[in-house]
């Protein structure tokens, strides 16, 4: 509800630019020839992606509550001036209408990029996403689809967002075949993954870690590039335990990995990036190597996407596992007002769990 | 009215003394409740119904109460602003200053048997229902003396004993809930109604139209109060609504457009609407009002509207100034007496804040209570596992 993130997140966060990209390299070639890159924060990277999306496809549109003015998190700044009010426009306050409209627009072969102001407000549009967007192609025997649909929404904790500005609803959408769910961890990732999501021929729900909008800064190539969907990335190599996460939680997990390393535990950290359809092979290969798995997300533990990962990996790696799969997640409560630090899967909780899993 | 119990006993003396001194110059205080008739600022505009009279019955006592209550609300919201800036208030915070006449006028027309349900801009509605300042400031700061025991914060004030069904975070969601409340009231034949409040932005949510149809279909005693402050966050009403005549948007549901800056007009409209709703079912009241603050604390409120617009409203239509002028022109109190009232309100607010700051934070185990009726044994530990660990109820 705020117009800006200035007060959010005074807690210092790890900045993903320091990441060594081991493991899988970006599979798109554009990144390889050292193109010009400058430091940008996450919301600016999103803004760049939207500029490029509109620039490169005359049939792309951006709309949502207050997006004509730049949106509450400034992600759509300058778009209306540049591309005009017929392609970038404000909608009334009506999420169900916004998404339904977007599905129709996409069904006519357009790229409909809809913003839901906070992920907490996506629920009025839940029916449209679950029953209309996800099944359009299937139930029409491939006559129609809304593949050009991308719904962007800021998700997750910000330090004091309380019940309705902090939720992480990704798991609800992971239960819906026909949708893709993508969550970036940093500015460079956000730009490349958003462009891929917009251009993907399937409807995508794209959750942006709002805590990182301003805090996360790294070099972002200025040109048009895409990062592959459904490809996880090993962002830190290790041999004792595999950690899987996405979005803002990766920075917390990275800190725990660093602390664990001081105690002689070597952690492998994987950014899942796309939650459905997800890259089981990368996770499986890592767990086959380490023999242990920990999953961490902000959403409540019960029914969270961590449960799905745990079940799949147990199926695939049962005999290789040396400890139960650990989940360090949000608690099974509404997102609290004053108890956010208790609720959150903090670094210490992750670290504790790494140790107990390794020492199992 | 509603807030009377808040006033310390000293209040009668501050007010009575000067009034008695000037006994010879003015109506004596004993005629406090002498009927007075005052015309509303502008006529009501109606849709599918006949508008009530512009002549509103009131009394010197009521006018002074209006003044006092609105001065308290204004002061309270300004103090909440400072607390937020001092980082004592967490979460999101939406202030009501400018819109006080709606809360005040509505309370003057109804009883605590009637229900009120609103959105997140709920501080003053709660105060109007008889909530106290300590509960408000404690809730804002997430302390146990808060009206929701520190678990809701600014957007989630409730008061069951006064049928205040409280503050809701999802825009528009509270309106169909209001229909359910009204159905229950009708079913139990308790001659009470529900006032379901929402904003001009919320008026465009599909739920609004579902609520309208349901309430009209079943003749529910619900009054849909659109607090039209002309902006939904940064979006001016005309950018978001094909027809910003919200009182007409119920089509088959009657409506009334009211000057929401005139507490007496609000009172008249709410009285009319309650009678109507009990007899004929739903009605929309569009309150033409204005919020002085930005939408929430991170919005300076000056990028999408002009300074001139804001000062214009403050000078021409301010709800407190309107009552002040009425009191002065009818010679019901002196300027000094009104200033003293404002000072006293300020003191009450300051005292309540001091007290609220002493209120403890809720116990960590409260994180797990009220999720279900019975706890379910969640195991948890703190940010640092060593600090706090336990299996909670
Ligand atoms: C479903 C939903 N969408 C968006 C929001 C974010 N939001 C909160 S208040 C608001 C504007 C509402 O304006 P209005 O109804 O006019 O009420 P006002 O704030 O002016 O009192 C918006 C967009 C929300 N809380 N819930
Ligand atoms: Mg409004």
């Amino acid at each position: 509800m705020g117009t800006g993130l200035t007060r959010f997140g005074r807690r210092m966060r790890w900045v993903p630019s320091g990441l060594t990209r081991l493991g899988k390299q970006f599979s798109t070639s554009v990144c390889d020839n050292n193109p010009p890159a400058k430091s940008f924060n996450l919301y600016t990277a999103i803004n760049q992606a939207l500029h490029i999306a509109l620039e490169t496809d005359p049939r792309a549109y951006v709309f949502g509550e207050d997006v004509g003015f730049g949106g509450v998190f400034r992600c759509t700044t300058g778009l209306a001036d540049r591309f005009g009010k017929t392609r970038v426009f404000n909608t009334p306050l009506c999420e169900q209408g916004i998404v339904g409209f977007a599905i129709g627009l996409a069904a006519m072969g357009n790229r409909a990029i809809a913003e839901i102001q906070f992920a907490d407000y996506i629920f009025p549009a839940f029916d449209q996403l679950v029953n209309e967007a996800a099944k359009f192609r299937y139930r029409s025997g491939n006559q129609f689809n809304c593949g050009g649909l991308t719904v962007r929404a800021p998700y997750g904790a910000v330090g004091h967002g309380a019940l309705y500005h902090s939720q992480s609803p990704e798991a609800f959408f992971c239960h819906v075949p026909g949708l893709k769910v993508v969550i970036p961890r940093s500015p460079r990732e956000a730009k490349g993954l958003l462009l891929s999501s917009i251009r993907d021929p399937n409807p995508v729900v794209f959750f942006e870690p709002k805590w990182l909008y301003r805090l996360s800064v790294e070099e972002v190539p200025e040109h048009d590039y895409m990062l592959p969907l459904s490809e996880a990335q090993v962002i830190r190599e290790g041999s004792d335990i595999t950690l899987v996460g996405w979005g803002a939680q990766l920075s917390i997990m990275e800190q725990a990995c660093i602390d664990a390393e001081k105690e002689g535990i070597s952690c492998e950290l994987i950014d899942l990036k796309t939650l459905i359809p997800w890259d089981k092979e990368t996770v499986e290969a890592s767990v086959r190597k380490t023999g242990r798995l920990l999953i961490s997300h902000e959403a409540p533990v019960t029914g969270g996407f961590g449960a799905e990962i745990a079940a799949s990996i147990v199926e695939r790696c049962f005999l290789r596992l040396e400890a139960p799969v650990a989940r360090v997640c949000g608690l099974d409560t509404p997102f609290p007002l004053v108890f956010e630090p208790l609720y959150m899967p903090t670094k210490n909780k992750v670290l504790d769990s790494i140790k107990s899993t390794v020492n199992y | 009215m509603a807030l009377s119990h808040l006033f310390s006993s000293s209040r009668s003396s501050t007010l009575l003394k000067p009034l008695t001194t000037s006994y010879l110059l003015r109506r004596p205080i004993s005629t406090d409740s002498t009927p007075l008739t005052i015309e509303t600022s502008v006529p009501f505009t109606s849709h599918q119904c006949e508008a009530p009279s512009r002549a509103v019955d009131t009394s010197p006592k009521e006018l002074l109460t209006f003044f006092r209550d609105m001065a308290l609300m204004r002061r309270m919201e300004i103090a909440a602003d400072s607390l937020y800036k001092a980082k004592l208030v967490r979460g999101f915070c939406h202030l009501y200053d400018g819109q006080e006449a709606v809360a005040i006028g509505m309370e003057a027309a109804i009883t605590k048997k009637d229900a009120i349900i609103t959105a997140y801009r709920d501080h003053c509605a709660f105060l109007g229902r008889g909530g106290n300042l300590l509960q408000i400031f404690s809730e804002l700061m997430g302390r146990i003396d808060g009206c929701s025991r520190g678990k809701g914060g600014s957007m989630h004030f409730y008061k069951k004993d006064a049928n205040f069904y409280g503050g809701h975070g999802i825009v528009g969601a509270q309106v169909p809930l209001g229909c359910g409340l009204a159905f229950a009231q009708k079913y139990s034949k308790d001659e009470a109604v529900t006032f379901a409040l929402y904003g001009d932005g919320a008026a465009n949510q599909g739920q609004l139209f579902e609520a309208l149809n349901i309430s009209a279909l079943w003749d529910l005693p619900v009054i849909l109060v659109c607090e039209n402050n002309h902006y939904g966050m940064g979006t001016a009403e005309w950018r978001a609504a094909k027809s910003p005549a919200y009182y007409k948007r119920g089509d088959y549901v009657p409506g009334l457009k009211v000057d929401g800056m005139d507490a007496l007009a609000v009172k008249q409209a709410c009285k009319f609407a309650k009678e109507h709703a009990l007899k004929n079912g739903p009605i929309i009241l569009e309150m033409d009002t204005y919020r002085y603050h930005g939408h929430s604390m991170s919005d300076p409120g000056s990028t999408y509207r002009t300074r001139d617009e804001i000062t214009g409203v403050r000078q021409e239509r301010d709800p407190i100034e309107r009552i002040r002028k009425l009191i002065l022109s009818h010679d019901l109190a002196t300027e000094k007496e009104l200033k003293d009232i404002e000072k006293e309100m300020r003191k009450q607010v300051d005292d309540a804040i001091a007290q609220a700051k002493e209120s403890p934070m809720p116990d960590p185990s409260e994180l797990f209570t009220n999720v279900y009726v019975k706890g379910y044994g969640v195991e948890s530990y703190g940010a640092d596992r060593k600090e706090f660990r336990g299996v909670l109820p």
Side-chain angles (χ1 to χ4, degrees):
Chain A
M1 277 187 214
T3 42
L5 203 53
T6 32
R7 289 194 187 78
F8 290 168
R10 282 167 302 126
R11 158 144 67 117
M12 256 319 288
R13 279 252 174 168
W14 157 88
V15 177
S17 56
L19 270 182
T20 38
R21 276 190 288 109
L22 302 166
K24 217 176 263 181
Q25 289 295 321
F26 296 157
S27 58
T28 34
S29 57
V30 269
C31 273
D32 299 340
N33 346 316
N34 292 333
K38 272 199 252 164
S39 280
F40 291 107
N41 62 21
L42 199 145
Y43 85 75
T44 313
I46 297 278
N47 185 258
Q48 282 181 17
L50 293 172
H51 269 97
I52 292 169
L54 289 165
E55 187 79 70
T56 52
D57 187 349
R59 300 188 69 178
Y61 302 82
V62 170
F63 48 89
E65 292 160 20
D66 283 357
V67 302
F69 312 132
V72 295
F73 293 105
R74 316 310 307 153
C75 293
T76 54
T77 305
L79 294 174
D81 288 344
R82 173 85 181 278
F83 300 100
K85 289 191 167 77
T86 48
R87 294 184 63 205
V88 179
F89 47 91
N90 290 335
T91 63
L93 207 177
C94 53
E95 288 75 9
Q96 186 174 20
I98 294 170
V99 173
F101 166 85
I103 294 169
L105 184 63
M108 297 283 272
N110 301 294
R111 304 227 173 268
I113 308 165
E115 176 177 298
I116 298 295
Q117 200 171 66
F118 279 80
D120 310 68
Y121 310 149
I122 205 167
F123 297 110
F126 195 56
D127 174 63
Q128 287 290 349
L129 284 163
V130 173
N131 284 326
E132 303 305 324
K135 306 172 184 29
F136 208 176
R137 188 188 298 277
Y138 187 87
R139 67 171 189 250
S140 69
N142 206 27
Q143 294 179 75
F144 289 111
N145 71 82
C146 59
L149 172 70
T150 304
V151 176
R152 299 175 38 243
Y155 87 96
V158 287
H160 69 244
L163 289 90
Y164 296 108
H165 295 91
S166 309
Q167 297 176 79
S168 298
E170 69 273 5
F172 291 108
F173 300 93
C174 293
H175 202 54
V176 188
L179 293 181
K180 290 191 175 185
V181 176
V182 178
I183 306 182
R185 69 167 188 274
S186 73
R188 184 169 49 217
E189 291 287 313
K191 181 172 172 183
L193 289 171
L194 180 55
L195 280 166
S196 295
S197 299
I198 290 170
R199 292 163 179 169
D200 190 272
N202 299 287
V204 179
V205 183
F206 190 86
F207 289 116
E208 299 165 7
K210 61 179 172 289
W211 202 333
L212 303 186
Y213 270 140
R214 280 164 198 270
L215 280 179
S216 175
V217 178
E218 71 179 344
E219 289 205 339
V220 180
E222 285 187 88
H223 66 289
D224 183 350
Y225 66 93
M226 298 200 289
L227 299 176
L229 302 187
S230 293
E231 267 187 37
Q233 182 188 0
V234 177
I235 55 179
R236 181 187 173 92
E237 265 186 9
S239 53
D240 296 329
I241 181 169
T242 300
L243 277 70
V244 176
W246 49 87
Q249 187 59 14
L250 286 166
S251 63
I252 303 295
M253 298 165 81
E254 169 85 2
Q255 290 167 11
C257 291
I258 292 168
D259 286 6
E261 190 166 36
K262 289 180 198 143
E263 306 192 26
I265 302 173
S266 163
C267 302
E268 181 145 304
L269 180 59
I270 296 179
D271 177 2
L272 202 57
K273 302 187 191 186
T274 302
L275 274 68
I276 46 161
W278 63 287
D279 179 357
K280 296 190 178 90
E281 286 67 33
T282 297
V283 179
E284 181 183 348
S286 173
V287 175
R288 285 203 181 283
K289 182 173 73 173
T290 63
R292 299 176 186 90
L293 175 63
L294 180 155
I295 306 142
S296 183
H297 55 67
E298 278 181 28
V301 60
T302 300
F305 196 63
E308 177 59 35
I309 299 172
S312 300
I313 293 304
V314 169
E315 276 166 14
R316 289 171 174 237
C317 310
F318 183 65
L319 293 175
R320 176 65 186 94
L321 284 172
E322 291 173 33
V325 177
R327 285 179 293 161
V328 184
C329 303
L331 304 178
D332 287 332
T333 70
F335 200 100
L337 172 68
V338 291
F339 293 125
E340 180 168 329
L342 278 180
Y343 171 92
M344 291 289 278
T346 54
K347 182 197 76 177
N348 282 341
K349 290 186 190 178
V350 177
L351 182 60
D352 268 3
S353 189
I354 290 173
K355 288 195 239 170
S356 53
T357 304
V358 169
N359 298 325
Y360 184 78
Chain B
M1 70 135 254
L3 307 177
S4 44
H5 75 277
L6 280 171
F7 306 144
S8 56
S9 48
S10 67
R11 109 152 187 252
S12 35
S13 51
T14 20
L15 219 130
L16 279 177
K17 242 186 269 153
L19 280 176
T20 335
T21 335
S22 46
Y23 179 78
L24 291 176
L25 300 175
R26 265 204 311 277
R27 212 185 273 272
I29 197 73
S30 57
T31 59
D32 242 2
S33 311
T34 335
L36 250 179
T37 305
I38 288 169
E39 188 160 83
T40 60
S41 56
V42 290
F44 298 103
T45 324
S46 67
H47 168 72
Q48 308 266 33
C49 67
E50 212 165 296
S53 154
R54 282 182 75 177
V56 190
D57 293 333
T58 181
S59 67
K61 186 173 167 209
E62 184 173 68
L63 289 177
L64 281 160
T65 315
F66 281 1
F67 181 82
R68 174 181 289 271
D69 292 350
M70 286 197 285
L72 183 63
M73 289 176 174
R74 181 73 53 93
R75 188 64 221 159
M76 176 180 92
E77 293 297 64
I78 290 166
D81 181 332
S82 317
L83 287 175
Y84 195 94
K85 289 181 175 137
K87 299 210 155 59
L88 285 162
V89 176
R90 310 295 284 158
F92 282 68
C93 181
H94 306 81
L95 303 178
Y96 198 71
D97 48 325
Q99 303 183 205
E100 297 93 341
V102 178
I104 290 297
M106 186 169 63
E107 287 294 353
I110 64 175
T111 74
K112 300 289 186 292
K113 259 178 71 188
D114 299 310
I116 296 180
I117 185 163
T118 186
Y120 41 82
R121 205 176 293 286
D122 59 355
H123 305 170
C124 294
F126 175 79
L127 194 63
R129 291 267 92 180
N132 71 42
L133 293 169
L134 174 62
Q135 293 172 311
I136 289 174
F137 288 115
S138 301
E139 191 59 40
L140 284 176
M141 296 192 281
R143 314 296 175 101
I144 54 173
D145 289 313
C147 48
S148 305
R149 312 218 324 271
K151 294 175 82 159
S154 164
M155 308 206 296
H156 308 293
F157 288 9
Y158 305 86
K159 188 164 173 51
K160 187 155 188 220
D161 59 14
N163 284 304
F164 180 48
Y165 286 83
H168 295 256
I170 298 302
V171 169
Q174 73 278 12
V175 186
L177 267 65
C179 297
L181 301 177
F183 183 93
Q185 288 169 322
K186 180 172 172 155
Y187 195 86
S188 56
K189 297 198 170 66
D190 53 9
E191 292 297 295
V193 300
T194 294
F195 284 76
L197 280 69
Y198 59 98
D200 49 295
N204 301 314
Q205 280 281 21
Q207 303 207 38
L208 243 298
F209 298 91
E210 299 180 24
L212 278 164
N213 182 51
I214 280 184
S215 57
L217 190 64
W218 298 329
D219 295 331
L220 303 180
V222 61
I223 294 113
L224 306 186
V225 182
C226 178
E227 288 190 89
N228 182 5
N229 57 17
H230 306 283
Y231 296 90
M233 292 187 76
T235 304
E237 55 179 345
W238 59 269
R239 291 181 192 271
K242 177 69 184 170
S243 161
Y246 300 100
Y247 69 106
K248 285 188 188 167
R249 285 177 76 178
D251 183 10
Y252 40 80
V253 173
L256 205 60
K257 184 169 176 176
V258 183
D259 179 1
M261 304 299 266
D262 175 356
L264 290 168
V266 174
K267 176 179 122 171
Q268 187 85 332
C270 290
K271 194 163 151 266
F272 171 82
K274 178 173 173 179
E275 283 161 17
H276 173 97
L278 285 172
K279 256 198 290 192
N280 312 310
I283 179 169
I284 298 179
L285 296 181
E286 177 186 343
M287 302 291 182
D288 178 0
T289 183
Y290 203 79
R291 73 167 147 70
Y292 291 154
H293 261 94
H295 169 72
S296 70
M297 299 313 299
S298 46
D299 167 23
S302 51
T303 51
Y304 47 85
R305 51 186 196 179
T306 60
R307 291 255 175 234
D308 284 352
E309 178 182 304
I310 306 169
T311 20
V313 177
R314 279 189 189 274
Q315 279 163 7
E316 310 288 327
R317 298 181 60 211
D318 185 83
I320 302 181
E321 293 315 307
R322 181 177 162 77
I323 298 296
R324 190 197 307 272
K325 276 186 211 132
L326 279 175
I327 291 173
L328 295 175
S329 64
H330 286 78
D331 209 14
L332 307 174
T334 64
E335 271 184 62
K336 159 116 187 19
E337 285 158 359
L338 296 183
K339 282 258 177 306
D340 286 345
I341 292 178
E342 287 173 304
K343 263 190 221 152
E344 192 201 327
M345 296 303 103
R346 193 185 185 114
K347 183 165 180 329
Q348 282 186 16
V349 166
D350 292 346
D351 291 351
I353 292 174
Q355 221 182 325
K357 282 181 181 165
E358 299 300 313
S359 175
M361 302 292 269
D363 187 81
S365 64
E366 284 288 324
L367 170 56
F368 302 93
T369 59
N370 314 132
V371 182
Y372 295 104
V373 172
K374 286 207 175 103
Y376 55 114
V378 197
E379 187 181 337
S380 175
Y381 42 87
D384 181 339
R385 194 167 187 156
K386 284 144 211 132
E387 271 171 21
F388 171 76
R389 181 158 200 211
V391 176
L392 297 156

